[in-house]
Amino acid sequence: MATHRSGAGDPGRTLELLWRKDVPSAGQRGPKPTLNVDGIIASAVELADREGLEALTMRKLAERLSVGPMTLYTYVPGKAELVDLMLDQLYADMPRRAPKDTGWRARLEAVARDNHALYERHPWMSDIATSRPPLGPGLMAKYEYELGALEGLGLDDVEMDAALTFVLGFVESSARSTSRARAASVETAKTEEAWWKANEPLLAHVMDPARYPLASRVGAAAGAAHGAAYSPDHAFGFGLQRVLDGLGALIQSRQPRRSPPRTPR
């Protein structure tokens, strides 16, 4: 479950910061600012990448920037607004691959994998609920680009938005599962494969194949294939193809039907 949410700060102040409406101009009089919003965002992202979003506090960030907390608050009102700024900056900077295949399926798969890679680089993003997304330039550019994968397929605008939400929702869920699996490996100091191998004798002792024939057979096959009970990479790849299959059926239903060729008399 997400532990933070975007859009939790002051909407007006957040939008001003997202679109840099209050950034002092180069010719403004007075002492030169010791910080800027871009630098604060970059430091916050680095801190969250290293220690997680829970560890990111305004006080700790101020220490990292060698300023007092009150100085930091003159640039960003609080952590809620800062989280929105961090997300929007990552959206703006995320690499976007250009698939060789120009078909809709390749385009959507590229969108999904680009977003999955973003979560891989910044796992703390999966802890943020984005039902109220930061409506900044980074998000809008990302949304514009991703909708392009669905343009011209016969879907109406609401269906295009829903289809993209469907794909990105799957990616977010998959990224969250991957993040938790990797966190478990760090906490136990064992990979999934090492953990299951260490507990294999106990499982063999308590598991009764006669009582659970399907679970025993399928679980053994999956374990042999993945080296563990769960493979995040396999789950993502398999699930993504099924998501695209489902959208394929919708897209196909929106294509104009061709009349059968007339039989010459």
Side-chain angles (χ1 to χ4, degrees):
M1 181 179 293
T3 56
H4 297 79
R5 67 178 178 87
S6 59
D10 176 77
R13 185 68 177 129
T14 298
L15 285 173
E16 287 178 351
L17 287 167
L18 284 169
W19 292 92
R20 304 297 195 272
K21 295 298 184 183
D22 64 340
V23 176
S25 62
Q28 185 172 345
R29 295 182 177 181
K32 185 178 180 180
T34 58
L35 296 176
N36 59 65
V37 173
D38 291 337
I40 291 170
I41 295 170
S43 292
V45 169
E46 290 175 3
L47 182 55
D49 286 347
R50 189 177 66 249
E51 300 183 30
L53 196 58
E54 287 293 341
L56 173 62
T57 65
M58 298 296 280
R59 180 173 296 277
K60 182 175 286 190
L61 181 59
E63 292 174 357
R64 179 182 176 86
L65 294 167
S66 300
V67 299
M70 296 311 297
T71 298
L72 186 58
Y73 281 117
T74 64
Y75 292 87
V76 181
K79 183 174 178 178
E81 292 83 2
L82 178 60
V83 166
D84 283 350
L85 292 168
M86 293 162 67
L87 286 176
D88 197 68
Q89 189 63 54
L90 293 179
Y91 292 153
D93 294 341
M94 67 181 291
R96 299 181 175 101
R97 71 191 71 196
K100 295 180 181 179
D101 185 346
T102 58
W104 71 264
R105 191 172 180 117
R107 297 197 304 266
L108 266 185
E109 181 168 351
V111 166
R113 292 192 179 278
D114 288 345
N115 278 274
H116 195 263
L118 185 64
Y119 282 110
E120 291 266 295
R121 291 190 293 273
H122 311 285
W124 51 268
M125 289 180 63
S126 64
D127 292 333
I128 304 173
T130 54
S131 58
R132 294 181 179 177
L135 299 178
L139 175 68
M140 297 310 296
K142 177 177 180 289
Y143 187 48
E144 179 77 15
Y145 166 78
E146 292 170 345
L147 285 173
L150 294 158
E151 179 74 339
L153 300 179
L155 304 181
D156 64 35
D157 290 350
V158 175
E159 288 174 330
M160 287 174 63
D161 177 79
L164 180 59
T165 300
F166 179 46
V167 172
L168 298 185
F170 164 74
V171 173
E172 180 183 357
S173 176
S174 178
R176 191 175 300 117
S177 296
T178 299
S179 178
R180 290 173 180 173
R182 291 181 177 171
S185 296
V186 172
E187 290 171 5
T188 61
K190 286 185 178 180
T191 63
E192 289 293 300
E193 184 176 3
W195 189 91
W196 283 99
K197 188 172 183 179
N199 288 277
E200 187 176 6
L202 177 59
L203 291 171
H205 177 70
V206 299
M207 184 67 71
D208 182 2
R211 187 176 182 183
Y212 309 107
L214 281 176
S216 297
R217 190 190 80 216
V218 175
H226 307 316
Y230 173 70
S231 167
D233 292 338
H234 180 268
F236 174 71
F238 180 88
L240 177 57
Q241 296 309 312
R242 304 296 75 77
V243 166
L244 297 177
D245 288 344
L247 287 177
L250 173 65
I251 292 168
Q252 182 63 35
S253 73
R254 296 295 185 269
Q255 301 304 307
R257 295 184 179 180
R258 294 181 180 178
S259 301
R262 293 183 178 181
T263 304
R265 295 181 179 179

